Amino acid sequence: MADRPLVGYIGLGIMGRPMVNNLLSAGYEVTVWNRSEPGIAECIEAGASRGTSPAQVAQSTDVVITCVTDSPDVEQVMLGDGGAIEGAREGLIVVDMSTISPDVTRQVSTAFANEGVSMLDAPVSGGDVGAIAGTLSIMVGGDKQTFDQVGPIFDVLGKTATYCGSSGLGQTVKLCNQIVGAVNILAMCEGLILGAKAGADMEALVMAVSNGAAGSWMMSNLAPKILQRDFDPGFMLKLQQKDLRLVMESAHALKVALPGAGLVHQLFHGLEADGLGDEGTQALAKALERLAGTQISA
Amino acid sequence: MADRPLVGYIGLGIMGRPMVNNLLSAGYEVTVWNRSEPGIAECIEAGASRGTSPAQVAQSTDVVITCVTDSPDVEQVMLGDGGAIEGAREGLIVVDMSTISPDVTRQVSTAFANEGVSMLDAPVSGGDVGAIAGTLSIMVGGDKQTFDQVGPIFDVLGKTATYCGSSGLGQTVKLCNQIVGAVNILAMCEGLILGAKAGADMEALVMAVSNGAAGSWMMSNLAPKILQRDFDPGFMLKLQQKDLRLVMESAHALKVALPGAGLVHQLFHGLEADGLGDEGTQALAKALERLAGTQISA
């Protein structure tokens, strides 16, 4: 692999586009492909080359990155008709930055390994804000030597890239991250709802709780939004639900009881049924508000 | 009230003793009383005067602080035989720093108000470490003017004193704090248990999760202890249970559904039944370990 490998990027959504931009800014040549046109145009304007299929992108680059929505999307662009595997050759590296099933990850990785291609799973946290700023937290599974080879690219895309173990374990750690985040949101909402119904000064409550042993990123960043009745998505509830579905699949496969994460998953179902799937995850507060017959506000 | 009021301190446990020390170091004259002797001796050596009863302490000081375990303890030292209320006079201020029921707080406060005494509820978070360092977070309910008068004393005892509203609302905010903290521990333990059973690098997992949107004080401070199988108490499980009992009482009185906090309360019951009440709250991991048939370790 050259000092500055040719990069292919497949999946130009709200995460992929800023990542491509950051790679271009860092001096990488990037060939892009997307299932729909709008994402492509923006990247071409920014200096990327247009690929004609995942297979062609893989044929013409050294490191192919994918960032799509769910397990079937990864299977399609990797192993489907015209998929990246059709451009496989010894020494090619594939990096999947989507959040998908650890089991599917291992299946896709094995298919590539059979063609002499090393694949990393490298899901991220930090949202579109982190993708734009290049401050993502990247959780990586796969071959350690490949992880080291891709290091300079991870340095461009994120603040930290953490090696978590063999293939699939990057995905597992990402799912663990989603468990903790989701249940931290429940924690925050339960603290807020009791305070609200008791008539506490809610800004004082958020300040007091944030500064101590009960503090969390969610409390510091999402509780003030709830007090302002701001339910715009930093992270969409329906995407958190997709991740919690993957969590529940892993929990089922591994026989691990996750009562708190299961509870949040079910409460989110109720909010999705009410058409709130496009709101931010802080809308979990609305589920507790309905149960308590009161509203949280500043 | 004089510029530097005479202070009475009732309740010389692991929280009260360092608080008395800090008041003495700041130049306050402090008269102390405790239900048992050992706590008294340490404070007398440090320069405090010995009171003969809560009533006598109240008679001879301007601001009486109490810090005992539970609601009945506060009722006893405040309103019982020889209680502080027998030393009540116009202008006396009473500050209860115990964590107790908001309803009992309001009853005791009303009894004092009838004698011309203003009472604040001022529970704290930060544990014995915070009490020693004078960095407690103090959550205060009661009369705002009294809160301002006691400000210089709070400055000695804590890093922040937050005014939360009328009598009882300091207790309510403390209970909200305990809800958030307890459910954050559940969040942490669920993330750890899935990662452990899947075979992830656990130190990498804790680092990756701590640095992002799922980060929390609990994740940064207690997860490393769990990986080292260190279950010594920073905060004892049985004391968290006492606070969660108060939470459940408030939730019942106010009709607020707290499914996550209720779940943690029940899981803690199981650990208490197994004799783990004196361990730290991070022992919640053991409940999930048993359900998953695996152990979390570095």
Side-chain angles (χ1 to χ4, degrees), chain B residues 148-182:
Chain B
D148 292 334
Q149 279 182 278
V150 179
I153 289 175
F154 289 145
D155 287 345
V156 170
L157 301 176
K159 186 177 59 177
T160 55
T162 308
Y163 181 71
C164 303
S166 61
S167 177
L169 288 176
Q171 296 294 353
T172 293
V173 169
K174 171 69 190 287
L175 294 184
C176 294
N177 185 78
Q178 299 307 81
I179 292 169
V180 180

PDB file of all heavy atoms in Angstrom, chain B residues 148-182:
ATOM      1  N   ASP B 148     -29.599  32.652  51.534  1.00  0.00           N
ATOM      2  CA  ASP B 148     -28.535  33.655  51.359  1.00  0.00           C
ATOM      3  C   ASP B 148     -27.762  33.872  52.660  1.00  0.00           C
ATOM      4  O   ASP B 148     -26.538  34.024  52.642  1.00  0.00           O
ATOM      5  CB  ASP B 148     -29.135  34.970  50.861  1.00  0.00           C
ATOM      6  CG  ASP B 148     -29.675  34.860  49.441  1.00  0.00           C
ATOM      7  OD1 ASP B 148     -29.180  33.995  48.687  1.00  0.00           O
ATOM      8  OD2 ASP B 148     -30.607  35.609  49.105  1.00  0.00           O
ATOM      9  N   GLN B 149     -28.480  33.879  53.797  1.00  0.00           N
ATOM     10  CA  GLN B 149     -27.815  34.072  55.095  1.00  0.00           C
ATOM     11  C   GLN B 149     -26.825  32.950  55.396  1.00  0.00           C
ATOM     12  O   GLN B 149     -25.753  33.185  55.952  1.00  0.00           O
ATOM     13  CB  GLN B 149     -28.863  34.094  56.219  1.00  0.00           C
ATOM     14  CG  GLN B 149     -29.563  35.429  56.389  1.00  0.00           C
ATOM     15  CD  GLN B 149     -30.540  35.350  57.555  1.00  0.00           C
ATOM     16  OE1 GLN B 149     -31.661  34.860  57.389  1.00  0.00           O
ATOM     17  NE2 GLN B 149     -30.125  35.802  58.727  1.00  0.00           N
ATOM     18  N   VAL B 150     -27.183  31.727  55.021  1.00  0.00           N
ATOM     19  CA  VAL B 150     -26.343  30.568  55.333  1.00  0.00           C
ATOM     20  C   VAL B 150     -25.230  30.393  54.288  1.00  0.00           C
ATOM     21  O   VAL B 150     -24.309  29.598  54.466  1.00  0.00           O
ATOM     22  CB  VAL B 150     -27.216  29.297  55.460  1.00  0.00           C
ATOM     23  CG1 VAL B 150     -26.376  28.055  55.767  1.00  0.00           C
ATOM     24  CG2 VAL B 150     -28.259  29.478  56.561  1.00  0.00           C
ATOM     25  N   GLY B 151     -25.293  31.178  53.209  1.00  0.00           N
ATOM     26  CA  GLY B 151     -24.331  31.071  52.114  1.00  0.00           C
ATOM     27  C   GLY B 151     -22.877  30.894  52.516  1.00  0.00           C
ATOM     28  O   GLY B 151     -22.202  29.983  52.022  1.00  0.00           O
ATOM     29  N   PRO B 152     -22.359  31.749  53.426  1.00  0.00           N
ATOM     30  CA  PRO B 152     -20.941  31.611  53.804  1.00  0.00           C
ATOM     31  C   PRO B 152     -20.606  30.244  54.410  1.00  0.00           C
ATOM     32  O   PRO B 152     -19.497  29.732  54.208  1.00  0.00           O
ATOM     33  CB  PRO B 152     -20.748  32.727  54.839  1.00  0.00           C
ATOM     34  CG  PRO B 152     -21.809  33.739  54.495  1.00  0.00           C
ATOM     35  CD  PRO B 152     -22.984  32.943  54.015  1.00  0.00           C
ATOM     36  N   ILE B 153     -21.560  29.655  55.134  1.00  0.00           N
ATOM     37  CA  ILE B 153     -21.334  28.317  55.698  1.00  0.00           C
ATOM     38  C   ILE B 153     -21.324  27.278  54.581  1.00  0.00           C
ATOM     39  O   ILE B 153     -20.466  26.391  54.537  1.00  0.00           O
ATOM     40  CB  ILE B 153     -22.403  27.985  56.767  1.00  0.00           C
ATOM     41  CG1 ILE B 153     -22.153  28.851  58.003  1.00  0.00           C
ATOM     42  CG2 ILE B 153     -22.395  26.496  57.110  1.00  0.00           C
ATOM     43  CD1 ILE B 153     -23.198  28.712  59.091  1.00  0.00           C
ATOM     44  N   PHE B 154     -22.281  27.384  53.653  1.00  0.00           N
ATOM     45  CA  PHE B 154     -22.283  26.464  52.512  1.00  0.00           C
ATOM     46  C   PHE B 154     -20.981  26.571  51.720  1.00  0.00           C
ATOM     47  O   PHE B 154     -20.462  25.572  51.218  1.00  0.00           O
ATOM     48  CB  PHE B 154     -23.483  26.740  51.597  1.00  0.00           C
ATOM     49  CG  PHE B 154     -24.821  26.340  52.181  1.00  0.00           C
ATOM     50  CD1 PHE B 154     -25.968  27.078  51.915  1.00  0.00           C
ATOM     51  CD2 PHE B 154     -24.946  25.205  52.986  1.00  0.00           C
ATOM     52  CE1 PHE B 154     -27.201  26.711  52.424  1.00  0.00           C
ATOM     53  CE2 PHE B 154     -26.187  24.825  53.511  1.00  0.00           C
ATOM     54  CZ  PHE B 154     -27.313  25.583  53.230  1.00  0.00           C
ATOM     55  N   ASP B 155     -20.456  27.794  51.621  1.00  0.00           N
ATOM     56  CA  ASP B 155     -19.196  27.982  50.887  1.00  0.00           C
ATOM     57  C   ASP B 155     -18.050  27.196  51.513  1.00  0.00           C
ATOM     58  O   ASP B 155     -17.143  26.733  50.819  1.00  0.00           O
ATOM     59  CB  ASP B 155     -18.812  29.469  50.852  1.00  0.00           C
ATOM     60  CG  ASP B 155     -19.706  30.257  49.893  1.00  0.00           C
ATOM     61  OD1 ASP B 155     -20.400  29.624  49.078  1.00  0.00           O
ATOM     62  OD2 ASP B 155     -19.711  31.499  49.986  1.00  0.00           O
ATOM     63  N   VAL B 156     -18.081  27.063  52.833  1.00  0.00           N
ATOM     64  CA  VAL B 156     -17.049  26.294  53.529  1.00  0.00           C
ATOM     65  C   VAL B 156     -17.218  24.797  53.281  1.00  0.00           C
ATOM     66  O   VAL B 156     -16.242  24.072  53.111  1.00  0.00           O
ATOM     67  CB  VAL B 156     -17.093  26.576  55.054  1.00  0.00           C
ATOM     68  CG1 VAL B 156     -16.187  25.611  55.814  1.00  0.00           C
ATOM     69  CG2 VAL B 156     -16.725  28.025  55.334  1.00  0.00           C
ATOM     70  N   LEU B 157     -18.472  24.340  53.229  1.00  0.00           N
ATOM     71  CA  LEU B 157     -18.747  22.901  53.192  1.00  0.00           C
ATOM     72  C   LEU B 157     -18.758  22.317  51.786  1.00  0.00           C
ATOM     73  O   LEU B 157     -18.490  21.128  51.601  1.00  0.00           O
ATOM     74  CB  LEU B 157     -20.094  22.612  53.866  1.00  0.00           C
ATOM     75  CG  LEU B 157     -20.196  23.043  55.326  1.00  0.00           C
ATOM     76  CD1 LEU B 157     -21.604  22.787  55.838  1.00  0.00           C
ATOM     77  CD2 LEU B 157     -19.167  22.302  56.173  1.00  0.00           C
ATOM     78  N   GLY B 158     -19.070  23.144  50.797  1.00  0.00           N
ATOM     79  CA  GLY B 158     -19.264  22.596  49.455  1.00  0.00           C
ATOM     80  C   GLY B 158     -18.674  23.450  48.360  1.00  0.00           C
ATOM     81  O   GLY B 158     -18.227  24.574  48.590  1.00  0.00           O
ATOM     82  N   LYS B 159     -18.675  22.885  47.150  1.00  0.00           N
ATOM     83  CA  LYS B 159     -18.211  23.586  45.963  1.00  0.00           C
ATOM     84  C   LYS B 159     -19.348  24.410  45.385  1.00  0.00           C
ATOM     85  O   LYS B 159     -19.153  25.524  44.920  1.00  0.00           O
ATOM     86  CB  LYS B 159     -17.733  22.559  44.921  1.00  0.00           C
ATOM     87  CG  LYS B 159     -17.085  23.145  43.700  1.00  0.00           C
ATOM     88  CD  LYS B 159     -16.573  22.021  42.772  1.00  0.00           C
ATOM     89  CE  LYS B 159     -17.724  21.101  42.337  1.00  0.00           C
ATOM     90  NZ  LYS B 159     -17.274  20.045  41.391  1.00  0.00           N
ATOM     91  N   THR B 160     -20.565  23.815  45.390  1.00  0.00           N
ATOM     92  CA  THR B 160     -21.735  24.547  44.907  1.00  0.00           C
ATOM     93  C   THR B 160     -22.903  24.333  45.872  1.00  0.00           C
ATOM     94  O   THR B 160     -23.085  23.246  46.405  1.00  0.00           O
ATOM     95  CB  THR B 160     -22.196  24.049  43.511  1.00  0.00           C
ATOM     96  OG1 THR B 160     -22.418  22.642  43.589  1.00  0.00           O
ATOM     97  CG2 THR B 160     -21.170  24.347  42.445  1.00  0.00           C
ATOM     98  N   ALA B 161     -23.660  25.413  46.115  1.00  0.00           N
ATOM     99  CA  ALA B 161     -24.926  25.307  46.843  1.00  0.00           C
ATOM    100  C   ALA B 161     -25.986  25.851  45.901  1.00  0.00           C
ATOM    101  O   ALA B 161     -25.929  27.002  45.481  1.00  0.00           O
ATOM    102  CB  ALA B 161     -24.871  26.102  48.133  1.00  0.00           C
ATOM    103  N   THR B 162     -26.932  24.980  45.529  1.00  0.00           N
ATOM    104  CA  THR B 162     -27.932  25.339  44.521  1.00  0.00           C
ATOM    105  C   THR B 162     -29.288  25.512  45.195  1.00  0.00           C
ATOM    106  O   THR B 162     -29.780  24.593  45.853  1.00  0.00           O
ATOM    107  CB  THR B 162     -28.025  24.228  43.458  1.00  0.00           C
ATOM    108  OG1 THR B 162     -26.714  23.942  42.974  1.00  0.00           O
ATOM    109  CG2 THR B 162     -28.911  24.660  42.301  1.00  0.00           C
ATOM    110  N   TYR B 163     -29.898  26.683  45.004  1.00  0.00           N
ATOM    111  CA  TYR B 163     -31.231  26.918  45.576  1.00  0.00           C
ATOM    112  C   TYR B 163     -32.278  26.293  44.658  1.00  0.00           C
ATOM    113  O   TYR B 163     -32.382  26.649  43.485  1.00  0.00           O
ATOM    114  CB  TYR B 163     -31.483  28.418  45.738  1.00  0.00           C
ATOM    115  CG  TYR B 163     -32.837  28.694  46.350  1.00  0.00           C
ATOM    116  CD1 TYR B 163     -33.081  28.410  47.698  1.00  0.00           C
ATOM    117  CD2 TYR B 163     -33.875  29.201  45.580  1.00  0.00           C
ATOM    118  CE1 TYR B 163     -34.327  28.629  48.266  1.00  0.00           C
ATOM    119  CE2 TYR B 163     -35.127  29.436  46.138  1.00  0.00           C
ATOM    120  CZ  TYR B 163     -35.343  29.140  47.477  1.00  0.00           C
ATOM    121  OH  TYR B 163     -36.589  29.358  48.027  1.00  0.00           O
ATOM    122  N   CYS B 164     -33.044  25.350  45.191  1.00  0.00           N
ATOM    123  CA  CYS B 164     -33.944  24.538  44.363  1.00  0.00           C
ATOM    124  C   CYS B 164     -35.410  24.893  44.522  1.00  0.00           C
ATOM    125  O   CYS B 164     -36.252  24.358  43.795  1.00  0.00           O
ATOM    126  CB  CYS B 164     -33.757  23.059  44.695  1.00  0.00           C
ATOM    127  SG  CYS B 164     -32.063  22.485  44.487  1.00  0.00           S
ATOM    128  N   GLY B 165     -35.756  25.771  45.473  1.00  0.00           N
ATOM    129  CA  GLY B 165     -37.151  26.142  45.673  1.00  0.00           C
ATOM    130  C   GLY B 165     -37.566  26.010  47.134  1.00  0.00           C
ATOM    131  O   GLY B 165     -36.719  25.945  48.031  1.00  0.00           O
ATOM    132  N   SER B 166     -38.865  25.926  47.346  1.00  0.00           N
ATOM    133  CA  SER B 166     -39.427  25.962  48.705  1.00  0.00           C
ATOM    134  C   SER B 166     -39.047  24.704  49.505  1.00  0.00           C
ATOM    135  O   SER B 166     -38.431  23.772  48.977  1.00  0.00           O
ATOM    136  CB  SER B 166     -40.942  26.096  48.616  1.00  0.00           C
ATOM    137  OG  SER B 166     -41.469  24.984  47.921  1.00  0.00           O
ATOM    138  N   SER B 167     -39.438  24.696  50.765  1.00  0.00           N
ATOM    139  CA  SER B 167     -39.078  23.616  51.686  1.00  0.00           C
ATOM    140  C   SER B 167     -39.381  22.241  51.099  1.00  0.00           C
ATOM    141  O   SER B 167     -40.465  22.003  50.573  1.00  0.00           O
ATOM    142  CB  SER B 167     -39.855  23.793  53.002  1.00  0.00           C
ATOM    143  OG  SER B 167     -39.566  22.725  53.878  1.00  0.00           O
ATOM    144  N   GLY B 168     -38.417  21.350  51.179  1.00  0.00           N
ATOM    145  CA  GLY B 168     -38.570  19.991  50.663  1.00  0.00           C
ATOM    146  C   GLY B 168     -37.967  19.813  49.277  1.00  0.00           C
ATOM    147  O   GLY B 168     -37.632  18.687  48.888  1.00  0.00           O
ATOM    148  N   LEU B 169     -37.838  20.907  48.533  1.00  0.00           N
ATOM    149  CA  LEU B 169     -37.373  20.758  47.149  1.00  0.00           C
ATOM    150  C   LEU B 169     -35.870  20.503  47.048  1.00  0.00           C
ATOM    151  O   LEU B 169     -35.395  19.967  46.039  1.00  0.00           O
ATOM    152  CB  LEU B 169     -37.788  21.969  46.306  1.00  0.00           C
ATOM    153  CG  LEU B 169     -39.290  22.008  45.991  1.00  0.00           C
ATOM    154  CD1 LEU B 169     -39.658  23.277  45.229  1.00  0.00           C
ATOM    155  CD2 LEU B 169     -39.737  20.776  45.208  1.00  0.00           C
ATOM    156  N   GLY B 170     -35.114  20.859  48.086  1.00  0.00           N
ATOM    157  CA  GLY B 170     -33.718  20.417  48.136  1.00  0.00           C
ATOM    158  C   GLY B 170     -33.666  18.890  48.209  1.00  0.00           C
ATOM    159  O   GLY B 170     -32.902  18.239  47.495  1.00  0.00           O
ATOM    160  N   GLN B 171     -34.524  18.324  49.077  1.00  0.00           N
ATOM    161  CA  GLN B 171     -34.611  16.856  49.179  1.00  0.00           C
ATOM    162  C   GLN B 171     -35.069  16.241  47.863  1.00  0.00           C
ATOM    163  O   GLN B 171     -34.544  15.202  47.431  1.00  0.00           O
ATOM    164  CB  GLN B 171     -35.578  16.451  50.308  1.00  0.00           C
ATOM    165  CG  GLN B 171     -35.136  16.861  51.708  1.00  0.00           C
ATOM    166  CD  GLN B 171     -33.864  16.150  52.188  1.00  0.00           C
ATOM    167  OE1 GLN B 171     -33.358  15.233  51.541  1.00  0.00           O
ATOM    168  NE2 GLN B 171     -33.342  16.588  53.319  1.00  0.00           N
ATOM    169  N   THR B 172     -36.062  16.857  47.241  1.00  0.00           N
ATOM    170  CA  THR B 172     -36.557  16.314  45.970  1.00  0.00           C
ATOM    171  C   THR B 172     -35.451  16.285  44.919  1.00  0.00           C
ATOM    172  O   THR B 172     -35.276  15.282  44.209  1.00  0.00           O
ATOM    173  CB  THR B 172     -37.743  17.153  45.458  1.00  0.00           C
ATOM    174  OG1 THR B 172     -38.854  16.968  46.352  1.00  0.00           O
ATOM    175  CG2 THR B 172     -38.168  16.744  44.061  1.00  0.00           C
ATOM    176  N   VAL B 173     -34.694  17.388  44.819  1.00  0.00           N
ATOM    177  CA  VAL B 173     -33.617  17.428  43.823  1.00  0.00           C
ATOM    178  C   VAL B 173     -32.539  16.393  44.152  1.00  0.00           C
ATOM    179  O   VAL B 173     -31.996  15.742  43.260  1.00  0.00           O
ATOM    180  CB  VAL B 173     -33.033  18.853  43.700  1.00  0.00           C
ATOM    181  CG1 VAL B 173     -31.748  18.859  42.876  1.00  0.00           C
ATOM    182  CG2 VAL B 173     -34.067  19.771  43.050  1.00  0.00           C
ATOM    183  N   LYS B 174     -32.263  16.209  45.447  1.00  0.00           N
ATOM    184  CA  LYS B 174     -31.324  15.151  45.831  1.00  0.00           C
ATOM    185  C   LYS B 174     -31.837  13.788  45.388  1.00  0.00           C
ATOM    186  O   LYS B 174     -31.074  12.968  44.867  1.00  0.00           O
ATOM    187  CB  LYS B 174     -31.088  15.173  47.349  1.00  0.00           C
ATOM    188  CG  LYS B 174     -30.279  13.978  47.901  1.00  0.00           C
ATOM    189  CD  LYS B 174     -28.815  13.992  47.465  1.00  0.00           C
ATOM    190  CE  LYS B 174     -28.071  12.711  47.800  1.00  0.00           C
ATOM    191  NZ  LYS B 174     -27.760  12.530  49.217  1.00  0.00           N
ATOM    192  N   LEU B 175     -33.132  13.540  45.588  1.00  0.00           N
ATOM    193  CA  LEU B 175     -33.686  12.252  45.158  1.00  0.00           C
ATOM    194  C   LEU B 175     -33.608  12.116  43.639  1.00  0.00           C
ATOM    195  O   LEU B 175     -33.299  11.034  43.124  1.00  0.00           O
ATOM    196  CB  LEU B 175     -35.133  12.103  45.647  1.00  0.00           C
ATOM    197  CG  LEU B 175     -35.293  12.016  47.170  1.00  0.00           C
ATOM    198  CD1 LEU B 175     -36.754  11.779  47.539  1.00  0.00           C
ATOM    199  CD2 LEU B 175     -34.419  10.915  47.774  1.00  0.00           C
ATOM    200  N   CYS B 176     -33.855  13.195  42.916  1.00  0.00           N
ATOM    201  CA  CYS B 176     -33.705  13.161  41.448  1.00  0.00           C
ATOM    202  C   CYS B 176     -32.266  12.817  41.086  1.00  0.00           C
ATOM    203  O   CYS B 176     -32.008  12.032  40.169  1.00  0.00           O
ATOM    204  CB  CYS B 176     -34.121  14.492  40.829  1.00  0.00           C
ATOM    205  SG  CYS B 176     -35.885  14.853  41.030  1.00  0.00           S
ATOM    206  N   ASN B 177     -31.332  13.417  41.805  1.00  0.00           N
ATOM    207  CA  ASN B 177     -29.916  13.110  41.610  1.00  0.00           C
ATOM    208  C   ASN B 177     -29.650  11.610  41.824  1.00  0.00           C
ATOM    209  O   ASN B 177     -28.916  10.976  41.048  1.00  0.00           O
ATOM    210  CB  ASN B 177     -29.083  13.935  42.591  1.00  0.00           C
ATOM    211  CG  ASN B 177     -27.591  13.780  42.376  1.00  0.00           C
ATOM    212  OD1 ASN B 177     -27.030  14.372  41.466  1.00  0.00           O
ATOM    213  ND2 ASN B 177     -26.954  12.975  43.227  1.00  0.00           N
ATOM    214  N   GLN B 178     -30.271  11.043  42.847  1.00  0.00           N
ATOM    215  CA  GLN B 178     -30.051   9.619  43.146  1.00  0.00           C
ATOM    216  C   GLN B 178     -30.673   8.723  42.082  1.00  0.00           C
ATOM    217  O   GLN B 178     -30.130   7.661  41.765  1.00  0.00           O
ATOM    218  CB  GLN B 178     -30.602   9.268  44.536  1.00  0.00           C
ATOM    219  CG  GLN B 178     -29.950  10.039  45.687  1.00  0.00           C
ATOM    220  CD  GLN B 178     -28.441   9.939  45.689  1.00  0.00           C
ATOM    221  OE1 GLN B 178     -27.752  10.652  44.950  1.00  0.00           O
ATOM    222  NE2 GLN B 178     -27.900   9.061  46.496  1.00  0.00           N
ATOM    223  N   ILE B 179     -31.818   9.148  41.550  1.00  0.00           N
ATOM    224  CA  ILE B 179     -32.429   8.405  40.432  1.00  0.00           C
ATOM    225  C   ILE B 179     -31.448   8.347  39.264  1.00  0.00           C
ATOM    226  O   ILE B 179     -31.154   7.277  38.731  1.00  0.00           O
ATOM    227  CB  ILE B 179     -33.720   9.113  39.947  1.00  0.00           C
ATOM    228  CG1 ILE B 179     -34.820   9.032  41.005  1.00  0.00           C
ATOM    229  CG2 ILE B 179     -34.194   8.515  38.612  1.00  0.00           C
ATOM    230  CD1 ILE B 179     -36.019   9.934  40.708  1.00  0.00           C
ATOM    231  N   VAL B 180     -30.949   9.507  38.865  1.00  0.00           N
ATOM    232  CA  VAL B 180     -30.085   9.583  37.685  1.00  0.00           C
ATOM    233  C   VAL B 180     -28.817   8.759  37.916  1.00  0.00           C
ATOM    234  O   VAL B 180     -28.398   7.979  37.057  1.00  0.00           O
ATOM    235  CB  VAL B 180     -29.739  11.045  37.327  1.00  0.00           C
ATOM    236  CG1 VAL B 180     -28.837  11.096  36.098  1.00  0.00           C
ATOM    237  CG2 VAL B 180     -31.013  11.857  37.080  1.00  0.00           C
ATOM    238  N   GLY B 181     -28.228   8.901  39.101  1.00  0.00           N
ATOM    239  CA  GLY B 181     -27.011   8.155  39.404  1.00  0.00           C
ATOM    240  C   GLY B 181     -27.237   6.654  39.369  1.00  0.00           C
ATOM    241  O   GLY B 181     -26.456   5.908  38.761  1.00  0.00           O
ATOM    242  N   ALA B 182     -28.324   6.199  39.994  1.00  0.00           N
ATOM    243  CA  ALA B 182     -28.598   4.756  40.064  1.00  0.00           C
ATOM    244  C   ALA B 182     -28.824   4.183  38.667  1.00  0.00           C
ATOM    245  O   ALA B 182     -28.306   3.112  38.334  1.00  0.00           O
ATOM    246  CB  ALA B 182     -29.815   4.490  40.952  1.00  0.00           C
TER     247      ALA B 182
END
